[in-house]
Amino acid sequence: MNSDIEIAGDPLALPHLMPSAPAHPATVAGFAGLARTIAADRSHWEPLVRYDPATRWYHRLRTGPGYEVWLLSWLPGQGSGRHDHGPSSGVFTVLEGELTERADGMGRTLRPGGLRVFAPGYVHEVVNDGLLPVVSLHIYFPGLTEMPMRPPRPGTEVAGVAACAAAPVAPPAG
Ligand SMILES: [Fe+2]
C-alpha cells in the first residue's frame, strides 16, 4: 500500500500542496517567523528609518489582531531604561548594528540574526553602548499598553539610560 508521501511525492517540492501561511501569527514561533521575515526584507523597513538625537526614534510598522510591530532606532548612548512590558509578551531582533541587553544581572550583545522572546513580567534594559547607530524590530502581543519603569540595579547604570528613564511611557522600549 502506498503512503501519502509516495502518492504525492515530496511535499516541499510541490508548494501548491503546502498549507498556506496564516495571514497573522498566533504563536510565539509564528511571531518569531514574522520578525525574521520582516528583517530579511530590507526594502520594507530601511527607507523608513530615522534617527532622533533627542530620544529613541520609533515607528509602528504594522498592526494585526492582538499585536503590533515597531521599528526603532538607537543612536549611540540611547537606551530604554530598566522596565517591564505590563501584560505584553514580545519578540525583538536587531536589524542593524549591536545592542546591549541587561536582564537578571547579566548582559548580552544582540546582533542581526539573533532573536529575543519574553513573557509578561520580564524586566530588562536595552542600550546602544556602541559607537554606531542601531535599528531594531519589536513585536508586542498584545500591543504594548504600558511600560512600567523599574529602578536601576545597583552598579549597572549605563551611559544614556538615566536621561531616557524619565521619558514618557508610551513608546516601546525594546
Ligand atoms: Fe523592553
Side-chain angles (χ1 to χ4, degrees):
M1 180 169 213
N2 292 330
S3 71
D4 289 347
I5 292 296
E6 287 170 320
I7 294 169
D10 178 359
L12 295 178
L14 301 166
H16 65 284
L17 296 179
M18 298 290 288
S20 58
H24 300 286
T27 63
V28 171
F31 285 111
L34 175 61
R36 290 203 163 100
T37 298
I38 295 172
D41 184 4
R42 199 173 180 92
S43 66
H44 184 64
W45 55 265
E46 187 173 41
L48 303 173
V49 174
R50 303 289 180 269
Y51 298 96
D52 184 342
T55 185
R56 286 168 299 127
W57 171 89
Y58 51 94
H59 171 75
R60 188 162 56 191
L61 194 61
R62 182 186 301 186
T63 60
Y67 70 93
E68 294 182 335
V69 181
W70 290 84
L71 189 63
L72 272 72
S73 73
W74 315 62
L75 288 171
Q78 291 182 337
S80 65
R82 190 165 177 264
H83 63 276
D84 67 55
H85 312 85
S88 296
S89 299
V91 171
F92 68 101
T93 187
V94 170
L95 301 177
E96 190 168 272
E98 292 184 0
L99 287 173
T100 297
E101 179 192 37
R102 292 184 173 86
D104 300 323
M106 296 172 43
R108 61 172 59 83
T109 301
L110 310 176
R111 301 183 177 90
L115 200 69
R116 298 286 298 152
V117 176
F118 59 81
Y122 182 65
V123 178
H124 70 165
E125 66 175 316
V126 181
V127 64
N128 177 4
D129 55 7
L131 298 175
L132 299 172
V134 176
V135 181
S136 59
L137 183 81
H138 305 247
I139 303 175
Y140 300 98
F141 46 98
L144 197 67
T145 56
E146 56 181 295
M147 194 192 84
M149 301 305 293
R150 301 290 192 94
R153 291 171 65 100
T156 60
E157 295 81 0
V158 291
V161 171
C164 295
V169 167

